[in-house]
Amino acid sequence: MKLLSIRLHNVRRFTAPVEITGFGPGVNVLSAPNEQGKSTVFDALHAVFFEDRKSWKQEIKSLVPHAGGTPCVDVEFEDAGHVFRLEKSWTSGRKGSVRILRDGQLFKQEDDAEAWLQERLKSPKDGGPAGLLWVRQGLIDLEDKKGDTLDARRDLLSSVTGEVEAMTGGRQMDTIRAECKQALAQFVTGTGRPKAGGRLKTAEETVEALELKKTELSNKAKSLRDDLDRRNSLRRERQDLEDPQETAARKDRLSKAIAAHDGAARHAAMLERAIETEESARIRVEAQQGRIEALDAQLQEATDAAALLAEAEAGFKDTTDRLRIAAGTLSDAKTTQADAQQRVETATLQHRAALAAENAANAAERRTELQQRLTKAEAHRAAAETLQIAARKGLAPKDLEEIERLWMKVTLARNVRDSEAAAVTMTYLDGRSNGVRIGGTPLPDGQRLPLPDGAMLDIDGIGQLQIHPGRSGEDNSVETAEAHFYEALEAEGLGDLNMARQSARERAEAEANLRETRAALNAVTPNGIDALREQLAAIPAPMEAAEDLPTVSEAEREEVVARQALAEANLALDAARIAADTAQQAETRAVSALENARGRAERARIALASHADPQAEHNRLSSELTTLQLSLQASRDARARLALDAPDLEAAAASLQRAQSAVDAAEASLQRIARDLAALDARIAMHAAEAVDEELADVMTRLEAAERKLEGLRFEVAVLQRLDTALEEARASARDRYVEPVLTELAPLVRMLWPEAELQFDADTLLPSGLVRAGTEEDFGVLSGGTQEQIALLVRLAFARILAKAGNPAPLILDDAIVYTDDDRIEKMFDALTRQANDLQIIVFSCRQKAFRGLGGQTLSIAPASEATQ
Amino acid sequence: MTEFRFIHTSDLHLGKRFGNFPEEVRGDLVQARQSILASLANAARDHGAAHILVAGDVFDTETPSDRVWRQALTAMGATPELHWWIIPGNHDSLTAENLWQNMVDHAPANVHVLRAAEPVEIAPRVTLLPAPAPRRFPGADLTAWMTSCATPDGHMRIGLAHGGVLDFGSDDGNSETIAPDRAETAQLDYLALGDWHGVWTLNDRTRYSGAPERDRFKHTGRGLCLAVTLPAPGVIPLVEEVAVGRFDWQEMELQLTPELDPLAAFSSLLPEKRQTWRDTLIKVRATGWMHLPARMRLAEAVNQVAPEFCHFEFDEHQLQTEYSPDDLNEIARSGALRLAAEQLQSAAEDEDAAKWDRDVAAAALNRLYGFVKGAEQ
């Protein structure tokens, strides 16, 4: 679609008809100061295309002039090879009108016209291009920050092409995904876990709770059934126990057992008595036998005691003799041992004295040797001290070396002076020797005599010859060297060089002697004189030698012999003591035996003393024993007869016990059963009242239903998750297809403003999210207003271009859309506009007349409508 | 000789809680179960009978709550002119001593709990031979004793027992069996049996009354009892089925093909009288194949009518969806939605995938279709 002209009548300030004509392809610029009606034209254009003729909302009412009137807007545009004229007016009461002429002929009117327009130019609400291609002042945001960002995206997205809309699913896709996610959110969290309080979680918890309840009730039901079985068992047991025949049989068995036991007990008592009678008779017989045996024993004891006493008396005498002999032997042994002991002590003392004397002799030798070494050492040390003093007095080698060096300098200075000084050589004529003198001393003959200081020569017979030294007399280097030389000698206390040399030799000799002396001293006392003295002091003082001492070896031999004698004496003494002790013990035993024998004999005598005639007594007792033995045999016969036919009392008691036990056990069992039954009855009654089976049956059916429901809910969740995944994957695939052409179209535009820059698109909103420059991504929101404005416009240009390529070109209308852009950047924007305008119609409304002058393109103006259009 | 009329019923299962049903349905079913005693009394009065023979399983468990058995006694005591003759069945066997002792201790005069297998003259010249179940699985034919049980000449002999017969599985699947010719061998004029929840006629003199109030879809329809008339000893009894249950249980199969109009097929299954829907429990098992849009319409139709029933189960596990290109076009002709739909369809038809994954994918595709249609509205 391409606009050709617009005519306004009764639209705000334009109460009189005005028109804008001359719209051409490419860029069209309507540049005028503020308050000239540019926005009015924009609003009128928007209204004529997108506001229904019946509309009377604020946007339409705002078009009515202050003075009133019916807003009328006529637009001519070209589309699909035809020229259309759209005439629309709005009145209160929703009675506006619209008609469309195509190539001068009436094409559509009223509702048909509106429908055609709506189809042709979808409104922004329907995803039409207005949001993209109609850009108001300051509307630079691509995202509607206050509203639904998705709508903003839709404006862009759906503006491009219906194919993109279909490709990504459009709002329908969003709606379905939202519904799917909403439905899913009722069941699970974002991570896929059952949502707390949600139906799935509740169903899971219900199943879990019912399973627990089922287990609990099953256990209770089993317990109840077990109790019922147990109760039945107990009742049968009680029934058996209470059976009359059984009860009577138990009682009969008990009665018979009691009777049998009583009879056996009576027989046993009789037998017991017979046994007691027999026992009494036996005791009497045994007592009589005892008395006879006692009398026999007394008689035998008297005989034995007399024999024993005689033997004891003999034994006592023998032991007394042996004791006396042993005492004598012991006394001798003690004397011998004491002598041997004395000899050992004496020998030991002699041995020790011999050893002491030997040690004293060794110490004296050592002292003498040390004393000699000390004397030598002290002599060496005194010599060394003297030598050391002598060495210190002498000239040190380095000092001598210094004096020699200074003397060399003197000699050298003298030689130099003499070689440079005036000199005379006197050659005497014969007979005139010593005729010339210097300082009173004759000049030697033929010898060159330098005269560095000049001289006065006395020439005999002639006079005096004055020799002037010339310049050489001024040289004092000899004196200086000599001064240094003699200062050095004087410092050492020496008169000349020879003395110095002699002093140095003496020192060297003293030092050599000193070393020899010290070596000798060291040889005598390696550890020093003090150590030597200490050694000497450590040797004990000499002892006075004893006389008549044996040698050590002699003393040792004597001590060994004495000790051997002592050992032998000790052995003999021990043997004597043992023998004495043995004899003493034997004597003691003999005394004791003698006393015992005497006592025994006395007791035997006393025992027999009560019998006047022991043998007669013995005969009487024997006769009575015979009578008692006959009585015992009679008792034995009677007891044997009773024992022969005695009933088994233990068996009878066992029978009685068993019969009684059976009766008692039956009674106890009945009592136990009664208690158990009471407890079971109570428990069963309690469980029965709880309606356990009924509850269990209910829980099982509810569990079954709950499990089915849970299974259904899990299936439902799986279905929704599957659908969500499928939608997401499809959307992602479509998104890739969508973004690519937009980026392709946008890239050259972006580079016109920012070489090397690249726009980033948000994966969800499909809107530019940032600008990457020099490798750094800047979020769209933090870019400057100018940059945001430029990007927004470039994106729209890109979409408009895609729209045009899709065969649905639409004019891009900008109402002061570039307000933040500086002069430099606006030139580039103009380039971008011009570039895109090749196959687009771009209409720019601007108050920046000066700035937009450089945009070029077709210049528009608002002018009173011509007669032809009125 | 006057004829003898009585009501034969069994398997009341009082106290059954129906935990597998939603709460509101459960309440209705429990209430109906408690009300069945009054309905039986009405049936007896209508039939001119003074006796109601209950062939076991009055209670659902051996330990019903006090509320259950006390209210049952109260309900039975409310019709003192009617005599209730009750034997324990396998669900409430004599093992439940406390229950039956309580019943005996608190029973009104017209309620007779028969705990022993011994003849009872319940009316002049009418002897009842009861076979109470001693335990859940008695392990023997409890009616065997009836064969050797002598009754006075001229007495009508009625057997009352609970359990299955030969070649006739019990509802509980146990193997306890009653000789099918017991009525003949024991010279019974009528053998009233319980355990099978549906009405079953074994022979002229042996019948199962079925449960008076149904409790599962296995036995469809309303619960019945049998109004029995014994004209005279040895004469074939006259038996009439009397509907006493409140709720109508219906299970049906909805067989579908892509060509079939699913709504019409579905509507044809529903009871004609809409006013009966409130007391009807329906389980529809959908089978076969259908297109996605049709399936959505069917689901909507089910959702529309389901709340009008006491309970409505729509089992579509065996219903497969056949996807046509048009079905996918209705989701989207191109773009991301189309891509998602095709991916799900491919997954749903992937024979190599696990059945669960195929089912999930198919359901996800159905859901996508539903979302699209919902979004369009």
Side-chain angles (χ1 to χ4, degrees):
Chain A
M1 186 177 75
K2 187 186 298 177
L3 281 178
L4 299 177
S5 69
I6 178 170
R7 178 179 177 278
L8 281 61
H9 182 205
N10 281 332
V11 178
R12 292 182 190 158
R13 62 180 297 177
F14 300 122
T15 53
V18 295
E19 63 181 6
I20 303 172
T21 58
F23 287 96
V27 176
N28 296 268
V29 180
L30 174 58
S31 181
N34 291 327
E35 304 298 328
Q36 295 301 306
K38 297 186 301 300
S39 293
T40 299
V41 173
F42 184 94
D43 291 343
L45 265 175
H46 191 274
V48 76
F49 281 118
F50 302 116
E51 298 297 342
D52 193 276
R53 66 187 172 90
K54 297 177 184 175
S55 172
W56 194 244
K57 58 186 182 183
Q58 187 56 39
E59 284 83 351
I60 299 303
K61 284 193 279 188
S62 72
L63 297 178
V64 178
H66 291 302
T70 300
C72 299
V73 181
D74 300 344
V75 174
E76 266 191 335
F77 59 93
E78 186 182 289
D79 190 31
H82 297 282
V83 174
F84 294 86
R85 182 180 178 86
L86 167 61
E87 301 172 352
K88 188 180 284 190
S89 63
W90 298 266
T91 62
S92 61
R94 306 181 188 281
K95 295 176 181 175
S97 66
V98 60
R99 70 171 187 162
I100 299 171
L101 303 178
R102 186 173 70 179
D103 298 330
Q105 302 295 318
L106 181 61
F107 176 55
K108 304 277 183 184
Q109 61 182 354
E110 309 306 357
D111 288 345
D112 288 344
E114 290 288 7
W116 184 85
L117 271 179
Q118 192 171 4
E119 176 63 26
R120 190 67 192 152
L121 301 165
K122 286 184 178 177
S123 74
K125 290 178 184 174
D126 298 327
L132 169 67
L133 303 180
W134 297 69
V135 187
R136 296 303 306 264
Q137 293 177 350
L139 294 181
I140 60 172
D141 286 351
L142 286 168
E143 296 188 51
D144 179 5
K145 291 174 180 173
K146 293 180 181 176
D148 185 0
T149 57
L150 218 50
D151 280 345
R153 176 168 63 85
R154 288 284 156 245
D155 290 342
L156 285 176
L157 185 64
S158 55
S159 300
V160 179
T161 169
E163 288 180 6
V164 173
E165 169 78 11
M167 184 187 300
T168 58
R171 283 193 175 85
Q172 193 176 31
M173 170 64 99
D174 296 334
T175 304
I176 290 169
R177 287 194 68 203
E179 281 190 36
C180 184
K181 286 187 181 299
Q182 189 177 2
L184 202 51
Q186 294 177 6
F187 300 106
V188 295
T189 63
T191 58
R193 292 185 173 182
K195 183 179 179 181
R199 291 166 60 198
L200 180 61
K201 184 69 175 175
T202 303
E204 285 182 346
E205 290 170 348
T206 301
V207 167
E208 192 176 342
L210 286 171
E211 282 175 342
L212 284 174
K213 187 73 176 169
K214 178 188 167 189
T215 303
E216 178 192 346
L217 288 171
S218 296
N219 291 337
K220 271 190 177 178
K222 182 180 182 307
S223 172
L224 178 58
R225 280 191 287 277
D226 290 346
D227 284 348
L228 288 169
D229 292 343
R230 172 71 178 150
R231 186 167 70 173
N232 287 336
S233 172
L234 287 174
R235 283 177 176 171
R236 283 194 296 276
E237 190 180 351
R238 183 175 64 181
Q239 192 174 2
D240 292 343
L241 287 170
E242 291 178 342
D243 180 73
Q245 289 183 348
E246 285 292 324
T247 306
R250 282 197 300 274
K251 287 182 178 176
D252 183 55
R253 280 195 295 274
L254 180 59
S255 299
K256 287 178 177 172
I258 290 171
H261 182 265
D262 289 348
R266 283 193 298 275
H267 194 97
M270 290 169 62
L271 180 59
E272 184 68 23
R273 283 195 295 277
I275 291 170
E276 288 173 357
T277 301
E278 180 188 349
E279 183 65 15
S280 297
R282 188 185 61 76
I283 290 171
R284 282 194 295 274
V285 167
E286 288 177 355
Q288 191 65 14
Q289 287 174 333
R291 282 191 285 274
I292 292 170
E293 288 172 358
L295 182 57
D296 290 345
Q298 286 173 349
L299 290 170
Q300 184 62 42
E301 175 62 16
T303 304
D304 293 345
L308 186 63
L309 180 58
E311 184 181 352
E313 286 174 344
F316 174 71
K317 183 177 180 300
D318 182 51
T319 55
T320 303
D321 294 342
R322 289 183 183 177
L323 178 59
R324 189 171 55 253
I325 294 168
T329 304
L330 177 60
S331 177
D332 294 344
K334 283 181 178 175
T335 302
T336 303
Q337 193 269 347
D339 292 344
Q341 182 67 38
Q342 182 60 43
R343 184 181 174 187
V344 165
E345 289 174 358
T346 302
T348 302
L349 289 175
Q350 285 291 88
H351 186 200
R352 287 178 184 164
L355 286 174
E358 190 175 74
N359 290 339
N362 291 337
E365 287 179 7
R366 175 68 175 156
R367 184 181 303 106
T368 302
E369 189 259 338
L370 290 177
Q371 191 65 55
Q372 289 172 351
R373 284 171 60 193
L374 180 61
T375 303
K376 284 182 183 176
E378 285 176 340
H380 286 319
R381 188 171 65 176
E385 287 173 352
T386 304
L387 289 170
Q388 194 169 18
I389 292 169
R392 286 174 183 162
K393 285 181 180 176
L395 187 63
K398 64 179 178 64
D399 296 332
L400 177 62
E401 189 178 332
E402 176 63 17
I403 290 171
E404 290 280 10
R405 187 182 64 80
L406 291 174
W407 177 245
M408 283 294 293
K409 279 189 172 182
V410 170
T411 303
L412 183 61
R414 284 176 178 171
N415 289 338
V416 170
R417 183 194 64 184
D418 291 345
S419 64
E420 292 177 352
V424 293
T425 303
M426 188 65 211
T427 304
Y428 288 106
L429 295 176
D430 293 338
R432 302 292 299 268
S433 303
N434 302 325
V436 180
R437 294 177 299 277
I438 186 168
T441 303
L443 285 173
D445 183 33
Q447 183 178 351
R448 188 179 180 270
L449 180 65
L451 298 171
D453 299 322
M456 181 64 80
L457 302 179
D458 295 318
I459 305 172
D460 292 341
I462 297 178
Q464 292 181 315
L465 178 63
Q466 179 76 42
I467 307 279
H468 299 281
R471 297 289 299 269
S472 64
E474 298 173 4
D475 182 9
N476 60 354
S477 56
V478 172
E479 285 77 10
T480 301
E482 285 173 350
H484 289 158
F485 173 69
Y486 287 112
E487 280 177 8
L489 285 176
E490 190 177 357
E492 296 294 338
L494 299 172
D496 56 25
L497 180 62
N498 288 330
M499 288 176 69
R501 285 172 177 164
Q502 178 63 33
S503 176
R505 275 195 300 276
E506 288 172 358
R507 176 171 181 146
E509 286 172 3
E511 285 177 346
N513 291 333
L514 178 60
R515 282 194 295 273
E516 287 177 3
T517 304
R518 282 177 176 167
L521 176 60
N522 192 48
V524 175
T525 60
N527 299 323
I529 290 178
D530 292 339
L532 190 59
R533 284 194 178 118
E534 286 174 3
Q535 287 177 356
L536 187 60
I539 298 172
M543 294 171 54
E544 189 174 348
E547 295 179 356
D548 301 331
L549 278 178
T551 64
V552 172
S553 57
E554 288 171 351
E556 281 177 353
R557 280 195 299 274
E558 171 58 21
E559 186 176 353
V560 169
V561 171
R563 289 188 182 283
Q564 286 175 347
L566 177 59
E568 290 170 359
N570 284 338
L571 288 174
L573 179 59
D574 290 342
R577 280 180 176 149
I578 292 169
D581 289 344
T582 304
Q584 183 65 47
Q585 290 168 2
E587 196 260 352
T588 302
R589 283 197 300 273
V591 169
S592 178
L594 180 60
E595 289 175 354
N596 288 340
R598 286 173 178 162
R600 184 174 172 181
E602 179 62 17
R603 285 193 297 275
R605 187 190 64 77
I606 292 170
L608 285 172
S610 60
H611 302 292
D613 185 352
Q615 189 57 50
E617 181 71 11
H618 187 274
N619 294 340
R620 185 184 63 79
L621 290 173
S622 296
S623 174
E624 287 175 1
L625 177 61
T626 302
T627 305
L628 288 172
Q629 284 173 333
L630 290 173
S631 176
L632 173 59
Q633 187 59 46
S635 298
R636 278 178 178 161
D637 292 345
R639 191 261 303 160
R641 284 194 299 275
L642 281 171
L644 193 62
D645 55 357
D648 187 347
L649 180 58
E650 289 184 0
S655 296
L656 174 59
Q657 186 181 5
R658 188 164 56 81
Q660 186 64 53
S661 174
V663 172
D664 294 344
E667 186 62 31
S669 294
L670 285 171
Q671 291 177 3
R672 173 182 55 78
I673 289 169
R675 285 195 304 272
D676 291 353
L677 282 176
L680 284 171
D681 285 343
R683 204 157 58 216
I684 289 167
M686 183 182 71
H687 284 165
E690 289 176 355
V692 173
D693 280 342
E694 188 178 318
E695 186 81 13
L696 178 58
D698 179 51
V699 166
M700 288 175 73
T701 51
R702 284 168 60 192
L703 176 59
E704 189 182 342
E707 285 173 338
R708 280 203 304 274
K709 181 179 178 181
L710 178 58
E711 186 183 357
L713 289 176
R714 283 176 173 157
F715 185 79
E716 173 71 7
V717 170
V719 167
L720 290 171
Q721 287 173 331
R722 182 72 179 82
L723 177 56
D724 187 50
T725 303
L727 291 174
E728 176 58 35
E729 289 174 356
R731 163 61 61 87
S733 176
R735 183 184 299 143
D736 293 343
R737 294 184 202 174
Y738 155 74
V739 170
E740 189 177 354
V742 176
L743 288 176
T744 302
E745 190 62 41
L746 194 55
L749 296 177
V750 170
R751 280 197 294 273
M752 289 178 73
L753 270 74
W754 306 283
E756 309 297 328
E758 186 182 351
L759 261 183
Q760 295 289 316
F761 276 73
D762 184 87
D764 289 329
T765 64
L766 299 182
L767 291 171
S769 59
L771 187 65
V772 179
R773 287 186 285 195
T776 302
E777 180 176 353
E778 299 167 83
D779 188 78
F780 188 82
V782 304
L783 295 172
S784 69
T787 305
Q788 289 189 30
E789 176 183 79
Q790 291 142 24
I791 290 174
L793 187 53
L794 293 182
V795 170
R796 286 178 164 90
L797 283 171
F799 276 109
R801 187 69 172 274
I802 292 171
L803 200 62
K805 283 182 177 175
N808 189 21
L812 174 61
I813 301 171
L814 309 173
D815 178 16
D816 269 341
I818 308 176
V819 294
Y820 299 113
T821 303
D822 58 39
D823 291 342
D824 180 47
R825 192 68 60 74
I826 204 168
E827 289 294 330
K828 295 178 179 176
M829 288 299 295
F830 287 165
D831 290 342
L833 284 169
T834 305
R835 180 185 185 278
Q836 294 302 93
N838 282 340
D839 48 6
L840 291 175
Q841 184 183 42
I842 300 173
I843 300 169
V844 179
F845 296 165
S846 176
C847 61
R848 298 171 64 184
Q849 293 169 282
K850 186 177 177 182
F852 274 71
R853 204 169 291 148
L855 176 56
Q858 186 72 31
T859 302
L860 303 175
S861 61
I862 304 171
S866 64
E867 292 294 328
T869 59
Q870 289 186 23
Chain B
M1 180 73 195
T2 56
E3 66 182 9
F4 180 70
R5 291 171 177 260
F6 65 94
I7 293 294
H8 168 197
T9 188
S10 70
D11 298 283
L12 278 62
H13 287 275
L14 300 178
K16 189 176 180 73
R17 297 191 183 183
F18 297 98
N20 52 336
F21 285 91
E23 194 68 42
E24 54 188 359
V25 178
R26 200 182 306 163
D28 285 350
L29 297 177
V30 170
Q31 182 57 42
R33 197 144 294 271
Q34 288 296 100
S35 303
I36 197 62
L37 292 168
S39 300
L40 290 168
N42 289 336
R45 278 195 292 269
D46 293 345
H47 184 53
H51 299 270
I52 299 175
L53 276 54
V54 186
D57 284 357
V58 173
F59 301 106
D60 190 53
T61 67
E62 292 178 347
T63 56
S65 65
D66 290 353
R67 183 173 180 273
V68 170
W69 64 263
R70 279 189 176 277
Q71 288 186 6
L73 286 179
T74 302
M76 289 186 279
T79 56
E81 72 282 7
L82 289 176
H83 288 272
W84 299 75
W85 302 92
I86 299 170
I87 61 168
N90 62 333
H91 273 259
D92 51 2
S93 73
L94 283 171
T95 307
E97 286 183 48
N98 287 61
L99 168 64
W100 294 113
Q101 191 59 52
N102 283 332
M103 288 287 284
V104 169
D105 292 345
H106 296 85
N110 64 322
V111 176
H112 312 277
V113 177
L114 306 171
R115 293 189 288 177
E118 56 191 18
V120 181
E121 187 170 355
I122 62 174
R125 304 176 73 79
V126 178
T127 298
L128 182 65
L129 305 179
R135 62 193 71 86
R136 189 172 185 85
F137 306 110
D141 180 0
L142 299 175
T143 64
W145 70 279
M146 297 176 187
T147 305
S148 58
C149 178
T151 52
D153 289 343
H155 274 224
M156 294 182 189
R157 289 163 61 91
I158 302 173
L160 184 63
H162 186 90
V165 297
L166 287 177
D167 302 324
F168 181 82
S170 163
D171 265 4
D172 287 321
N174 64 60
S175 59
E176 310 302 333
T177 56
I178 294 170
D181 59 348
R182 179 63 63 209
E184 182 182 350
T185 59
Q187 296 181 324
L188 300 174
D189 290 291
Y190 186 81
L191 176 56
L193 294 177
D195 191 27
W196 185 251
H197 288 203
V199 174
W200 181 271
T201 302
L202 188 61
N203 53 49
D204 290 341
R205 296 182 186 277
T206 307
R207 292 174 188 266
Y208 285 88
S209 64
E213 188 70 61
R214 301 285 192 252
D215 61 358
R216 65 194 75 173
F217 290 107
K218 181 176 179 181
H219 304 289
T220 57
R222 290 178 64 195
L224 305 171
C225 68
L226 300 179
V228 184
T229 303
L230 299 181
V235 177
I236 298 295
L238 303 173
V239 180
E240 181 187 350
E241 293 181 358
V242 180
V244 289
R246 174 186 166 188
F247 287 106
D248 186 5
W249 295 65
Q250 295 294 337
E251 180 176 17
M252 50 198 71
E253 183 177 354
L254 176 61
Q255 291 183 322
L256 296 168
T257 63
E259 294 74 26
L260 195 64
D261 180 357
L263 299 187
F266 175 66
S267 297
S268 68
L269 292 178
L270 303 178
E272 290 183 5
K273 295 180 181 177
R274 207 177 187 97
Q275 61 271 28
T276 65
W277 289 8
R278 168 67 186 85
D279 291 335
T280 302
L281 294 91
I282 282 194
K283 183 176 185 179
V284 175
R285 284 185 294 103
T287 61
W289 293 81
M290 60 191 309
H291 285 305
L292 195 50
R295 184 160 190 167
M296 293 298 297
R297 290 200 298 277
L298 177 59
E300 287 176 13
V302 169
N303 289 335
Q304 284 287 328
V305 302
E308 295 193 43
F309 287 86
C310 173
H311 178 68
F312 197 104
E313 274 184 51
F314 186 68
D315 180 0
E316 53 184 343
H317 285 90
Q318 299 177 57
L319 181 60
Q320 306 291 321
T321 303
E322 187 171 282
Y323 303 103
S324 68
D326 286 344
D327 295 339
L328 298 190
N329 284 344
E330 289 199 40
I331 293 174
R333 291 184 175 276
S334 61
L337 284 174
R338 176 67 178 219
L339 203 61
E342 288 175 350
Q343 186 202 67
L344 290 173
Q345 182 192 12
S346 174
E349 295 173 351
D350 183 3
E351 294 296 332
D352 295 331
K355 183 176 184 307
W356 164 270
D357 293 334
R358 293 203 307 271
D359 291 347
V360 166
L365 181 54
N366 293 346
R367 189 61 53 87
L368 175 59
Y369 185 90
F371 280 145
V372 169
K373 292 302 168 188
E376 288 176 356
Q377 294 168 6

